[in-house]
């Protein structure tokens, strides 16, 4: 069986280069509410702010759920199909819309020439001024979802847009930036980008978030972005669109593939893909990550497959499981899926 792997790439996002910002409005400030409505199983934080000043990477908890130079927090949704359902983006506090952009197409930027995105890396976005020099920025919003204009007042928790994939984004997510007096601040550490040291690391940090926001936050050292069964070999583009998550297949399906797409892979990590048939047959394969820090996100996809044993598959329930091991710690299951073949 081949050893497939794929990559998601996002990039450090620029402020709206072509827009000018007005003065700060007296409005509202920390602690802030979450900018998304979709945690607890629908959304995941897949990248935090990078606090390492050099070529290595370090998030607020001294983990590697970030990439080199990443300037914000990425809230992802599982695929484009979920995005099209309409996932709310909300103002983290009251304030005034200082700038916005609308009209950028939602498309995987990996399929575009980089020159097509110059000056619009943030895609459709909103910049809001809050109290005491605080600003929040919301990027990659879904085209047509922004129902605001520059100068509008917004209240804490107000619906301002939907998560999209516009600008320099290769999967549906919200890229969220927070600034104080024009300096980027990590809402988890409460410090400027690069100012958090290793002595401050804790997965419990969430110092600028409200109590209701903190109750919804769980630190992920690796994210299972998606997993499922398909009858043909999947590819990264299809997986990000939401294909390959079949709950049921016919017994004449030509093949059987169990796949997983992970974000946050680290050197030495072991990903075990297991597949079990209703007759007790099956097996597993271990994928050992050999991934130097290449100044980009660490996203990969894997699969294990079986050939049809004869004219038809045995009827019943098929089980797939994803197990993750890092740094000599005990393996842990991070995903499972069942498939019925009739």
């Amino acid at each position: 069986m081949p050893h497939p792997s794929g990559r998601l790439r996002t990039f450090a996002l620029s402020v709206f280069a072509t827009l000018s910002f007005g003065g700060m409005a007296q409005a509202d400030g920390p602690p802030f509410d979450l900018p998304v409505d979709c945690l607890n199983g629908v959304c995941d934080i897949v990248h935090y702010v990078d606090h390492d000043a050099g070529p290595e990477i370090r998030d607020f908890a001294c983990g590697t759920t970030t990439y080199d130079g990443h300037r914000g927090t990425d809230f992802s949704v599982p695929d484009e199909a979920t995005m099209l359902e309409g996932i709310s983006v909300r103002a983290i506090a009251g304030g005034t819309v200082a700038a916005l952009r609308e009209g950028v197409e939602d498309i995987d930027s990996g399929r575009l020439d980089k020159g097509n995105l110059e000056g619009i890396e943030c895609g459709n976005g909103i910049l809001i001024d809050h109290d005491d020099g605080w600003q929040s920025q919301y990027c990659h919003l879904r085209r047509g979802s922004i129902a605001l204009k520059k100068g509008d007042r917004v209240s804490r928790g107000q619906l301002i847009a939907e998560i999209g994939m516009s600008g320099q984004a290769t999967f549906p997510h919200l890229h969220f930036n927070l600034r104080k007096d024009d300096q980027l601040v990590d809402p988890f550490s409460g410090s400027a980008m690069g100012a958090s040291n290793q002595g401050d690391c804790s997965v419990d940090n969430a110092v600028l978030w409200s109590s209701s926001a903190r109750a919804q936050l769980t630190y992920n050292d690796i994210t299972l972005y998606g997993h499922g069964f398909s009858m043909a070999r999947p590819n990264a583009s299809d997986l990000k669109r939401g294909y390959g998550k079949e709950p049921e297949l016919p017994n004449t399906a030509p093949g059987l593939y169990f796949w997983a797409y992970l974000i946050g892979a680290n050197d030495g990590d072991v990903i075990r893909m297991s597949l079990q048939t209703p007759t007790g047959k099956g097996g597993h394969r271990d994928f050992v990550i050999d991934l130097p820090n290449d100044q980009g996100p660490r996203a990969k996809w894997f699969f294990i497959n079986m050939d049809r044993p004869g004219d038809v598959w045995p009827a019943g329930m098929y089980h797939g499981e994803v197990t993750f091991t890092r740094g000599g710690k005990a393996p842990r299951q991070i995903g499972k899926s069942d498939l019925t073949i009739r």
Side-chain angles (χ1 to χ4, degrees), residues 101-156:
R101 179 189 294 112
E102 174 61 283
V104 181
E105 184 179 3
D106 294 286
I107 188 171
D108 183 343
S109 65
R111 306 200 297 266
L112 302 174
D113 292 333
K114 291 182 180 180
N116 293 340
L117 297 170
E118 186 174 352
I120 58 169
E121 292 85 352
C122 180
N124 303 313
I126 301 172
L127 183 73
I128 298 177
D129 287 344
H130 306 288
D131 197 12
D132 296 330
W134 289 99
Q135 288 182 313
S136 56
Q137 183 181 9
Y138 312 76
C139 293
H140 308 319
L141 303 175
R142 185 179 176 188
R143 183 169 65 175
S145 72
I146 300 175
L148 300 169
K149 62 181 182 301
K150 183 177 178 180
D152 281 355
R153 296 281 296 174
V154 297
S155 58
R156 179 181 289 260

Side-chain angles (χ1 to χ4, degrees), residues 129-333:
D129 287 344
H130 306 288
D131 197 12
D132 296 330
W134 289 99
Q135 288 182 313
S136 56
Q137 183 181 9
Y138 312 76
C139 293
H140 308 319
L141 303 175
R142 185 179 176 188
R143 183 169 65 175
S145 72
I146 300 175
L148 300 169
K149 62 181 182 301
K150 183 177 178 180
D152 281 355
R153 296 281 296 174
V154 297
S155 58
R156 179 181 289 260
Q158 179 177 331
L159 175 66
I160 58 174
E162 294 177 358
I163 288 179
M165 197 170 58
S166 57
Q168 202 147 357
T170 58
F171 61 102
H173 70 286
L174 169 72
H175 176 93
F176 172 77
N177 278 356
L178 183 66
R179 297 185 184 88
K180 177 70 164 70
D181 298 328
D182 294 324
Q183 186 173 33
L184 188 80
V185 175
D186 183 348
F188 289 85
S189 67
S191 60
M193 180 180 179
S196 175
N197 60 61
Q198 297 191 26
D200 299 328
C201 288
S202 171
V203 296
D204 296 322
N205 282 348
V207 296
L208 293 179
W209 296 118
S210 65
S211 58
S212 60
R214 292 167 68 98
Q216 299 181 67
L217 295 169
T218 301
Y219 176 79
N220 293 323
D221 55 358
I222 193 166
T223 300
L224 183 60
Y225 181 72
H227 64 294
F229 283 97
S230 61
M231 70 169 67
R233 175 175 172 165
N235 63 67
S237 294
D238 286 345
L239 302 185
K240 288 185 285 182
R241 289 188 176 99
Y243 305 149
K245 298 180 180 179
E246 306 296 343
E248 185 174 315
L249 287 175
N251 63 3
T252 55
L256 184 61
Y257 293 77
F258 177 61
W259 59 268
Y261 205 136
L262 293 99
I263 301 178
N266 217 351
D267 287 336
D269 288 350
V270 180
I271 311 300
R272 172 167 289 190
M273 302 289 296
S274 303
L275 178 57
Q276 194 77 24
T277 74
T279 61
K281 294 184 178 180
H284 68 266
R285 181 168 182 181
D286 291 344
F287 299 87
V288 181
I289 306 299
D290 180 12
L291 185 66
N293 182 10
D294 58 358
Q295 301 184 7
R298 298 170 173 201
K300 283 186 169 290
W301 64 278
F302 311 92
F303 66 72
I304 185 171
N305 69 304
M306 299 177 65
D307 295 325
R308 190 175 66 201
D311 293 334
V312 295
W313 291 96
M317 187 74 71
Y318 291 69
H319 303 281
E321 183 176 309
V322 187
T323 305
F324 167 69
T325 307
R326 174 176 289 174
K329 296 181 180 179
R332 73 177 193 266
Q333 182 191 95

Side-chain angles (χ1 to χ4, degrees), residues 64-85:
T64 55
T65 308
T66 184
Y67 60 88
D68 189 43
H70 191 244
R71 298 171 54 81
T73 305
D74 287 346
F75 297 84
S76 77
V77 296
D79 46 50
E80 292 180 45
T82 304
M83 178 193 83
L84 293 175
E85 294 174 4

